[in-house]
Amino acid sequence: MMQTQFNIHEAKTHLSQIIEQVEAGGEAVIARAGKPVVRLVLIEDKPQPRKLGRLSGQFRIPGSDSPPIPETPEPFLDAIEGR
């Protein structure tokens, strides 16, 4: 079974064989009334878990003693650029 497109009934009937075909390096498309609906592909390696705290120490959060953010654009830009 090296076919790549299956109708829904075929896919339900031969799911194990379709999965084996995908595991062997292929892919399979499941169609409804001849129109492709989904593609089955092999999931590669599991994504690596995200590491929390990767950016620790790279940003500074202003404390409560910091001056307030100006309401108008010019003083705001001056404050950001250190003027």
Side-chain angles (χ1 to χ4, degrees):
M1 180 185 304
M2 290 307 293
Q3 169 180 351
T4 59
Q5 182 166 315
F6 304 86
N7 67 42
I8 292 175
H9 183 266
E10 286 177 307
K12 289 192 317 188
T13 304
H14 302 288
L15 184 59
S16 295
Q17 292 91 347
I18 294 170
I19 290 173
E20 287 175 9
Q21 176 180 323
V22 172
E23 287 177 324
E27 71 174 40
V29 175
I30 299 176
R32 178 183 291 128
K35 181 179 176 186
V37 179
V38 296
R39 176 181 296 127
L40 298 177
V41 295
L42 185 64
I43 295 176
E44 300 297 329
D45 295 333
K46 283 176 54 175
Q48 296 297 318
R50 294 172 69 183
K51 181 179 176 187
L52 298 177
R54 256 189 347 205
L55 299 176
S56 178
Q58 295 187 24
F59 297 96
R60 186 176 60 83
I61 299 174
S64 59
D65 58 336
S66 298
I69 296 175
E71 294 186 25
T72 58
E74 291 78 22
F76 178 70
L77 292 174
D78 288 344
I80 290 176
E81 294 173 357
R83 292 186 252 166

